[in-house]
Amino acid sequence: MGKIISVANQKGGVGKTTTAVNLSAALAVMEYKVLLVDADPQANATSGLGINPDELEKSAYECFMGHADIHDCLITTDAPNLTLLPTRIDLVGAEVELVNEKNREYFISRALEPVRDDYDFIIIDCSPSLGLITVNALTASDSVIIPIQSEYFALEGLGKLLNTVRIVQTRLNPKLNIEGLLITMYDSRLRLARQVVEDVRSHFKRLVFDTIIYRNTKLAEAPSYGKSVIMYDATCAGAVNYLNLATELLRRNKMKSSSTHEN
């Protein structure tokens, strides 16, 4: 049974989609079967892997709302072992449509159930909000990765997100854990960035990943070419950072990081 991990932070611009896409790609090149679920109506994970959201016949919206079988919505990407459940802007409508539905927090969980055994990891890219779709994602997940930008307001709003996680744990999904907090967009030349890392590690201790994602030009360029940074330039610092993150994630879950892993 695949492990489901949400990548969530209601703050925008913290490297959430970058992390979801590139962690998925890194795990895939390590020969783990990965499904990346784009649960953000902005569809950046979809376009970032070279898929035009406007040309989709079926997407996450139809899948989550029960209008289509998930198998009919999946797209095989250029990256070996990486499959995408794409989305488009109409996912916004799901927030409104689900409000009066019974068991409205479990739609994503039910949608993913038929394919859960087909993958080693299912990574969900959440929208930058704490709305119903994000709550659905957390309810479906085993754990959550929280990207934190290494800037002055890094911890702003984090308490609200952690409170949402606690509510989901208490009322909807007792098995939900925090996989880790991930420092992103790090610039070692800035004293403030170093201070943020020190503060986050001091406060959250072992919850913080050892891996840090540095600011990297290739990391920023890759989505415009419709590729993960691993496929765009596997030797650049950004690719190495996400390969290191994947290795650390596997180690935390007591899984092998070599190509000889056992499924």
Side-chain angles (χ1 to χ4, degrees), residues 19-261:
T19 294
V21 169
N22 293 302
L23 174 58
S24 296
L27 289 166
V29 299
M30 291 175 176
E31 300 186 4
Y32 284 90
K33 291 181 180 177
V34 182
L35 172 61
L36 173 61
V37 177
D38 191 348
D40 182 352
Q42 295 177 80
N44 290 333
T46 298
S47 59
L49 286 176
I51 309 298
N52 185 344
D54 297 330
E55 295 176 358
L56 294 171
E57 289 184 18
K58 295 176 181 176
S59 67
Y61 169 77
E62 285 80 11
C63 175
F64 296 162
M65 299 304 296
H67 303 325
D69 187 294
I70 187 170
H71 295 93
D72 297 329
C73 303
L74 301 179
I75 293 176
T76 302
T77 71
D78 292 339
N81 303 312
L82 179 57
T83 303
L84 173 70
L85 175 57
T87 200
R88 57 188 178 210
I89 190 64
D90 59 1
L91 186 61
V92 169
E95 292 268 352
V96 178
E97 292 178 51
L98 287 174
V99 165
N100 296 315
E101 290 288 337
K102 188 178 180 182
N103 295 322
R104 60 188 183 179
E105 298 90 358
Y106 296 95
F107 274 69
I108 291 181
S109 183
R110 286 200 295 266
L112 295 179
E113 196 58 39
V115 298
R116 185 160 185 176
D117 289 341
D118 299 338
Y119 299 95
D120 299 301
F121 290 96
I122 298 176
I123 309 289
I124 306 177
D125 181 31
C126 298
S127 62
S129 76
L130 293 179
L132 197 46
I133 295 296
T134 297
V135 170
N136 257 264
L138 294 174
T139 301
S141 296
D142 298 298
S143 64
V144 56
I145 291 174
I146 303 171
I148 298 176
Q149 191 174 359
S150 54
E151 292 189 353
Y152 183 69
F153 292 111
L155 301 180
E156 187 183 65
L158 186 58
K160 191 179 291 185
L161 174 58
L162 294 175
N163 189 50
T164 299
V165 169
R166 278 192 291 272
I167 291 170
V168 171
Q169 287 170 327
T170 303
R171 301 181 186 175
L172 302 166
N173 179 11
K175 72 179 189 299
L176 179 66
N177 291 311
I178 296 176
E179 190 76 45
L181 279 64
L182 177 68
I183 305 292
T184 62
M185 301 181 182
Y186 181 69
D187 187 339
S188 59
R189 298 169 299 180
L190 301 178
R191 186 170 65 181
L192 175 60
R194 296 195 299 272
Q195 186 63 50
V196 168
V197 172
E198 191 176 310
D199 291 348
V200 171
R201 286 196 165 144
S202 172
H203 191 72
F204 293 101
K205 302 189 168 48
R206 282 184 293 179
L207 271 183
V208 185
F209 283 105
D210 293 332
T211 304
I212 291 177
I213 309 301
Y214 284 70
R215 284 194 178 275
N216 178 251
T217 304
K218 296 287 178 71
L219 204 52
E221 288 175 357
S224 66
Y225 289 88
K227 295 174 183 282
S228 68
V229 73
I230 315 291
M231 297 297 286
Y232 181 58
D233 184 352
T235 62
C236 74
V240 171
N241 288 167
Y242 278 106
L243 288 166
N244 288 341
L245 176 63
T247 300
E248 185 175 355
L249 177 69
L250 292 170
R251 189 172 66 244
R252 284 186 175 209
N253 285 275
K254 298 179 171 56
M255 299 169 74
K256 296 184 179 181
S257 58
S258 72
S259 61
T260 57
H261 73 267

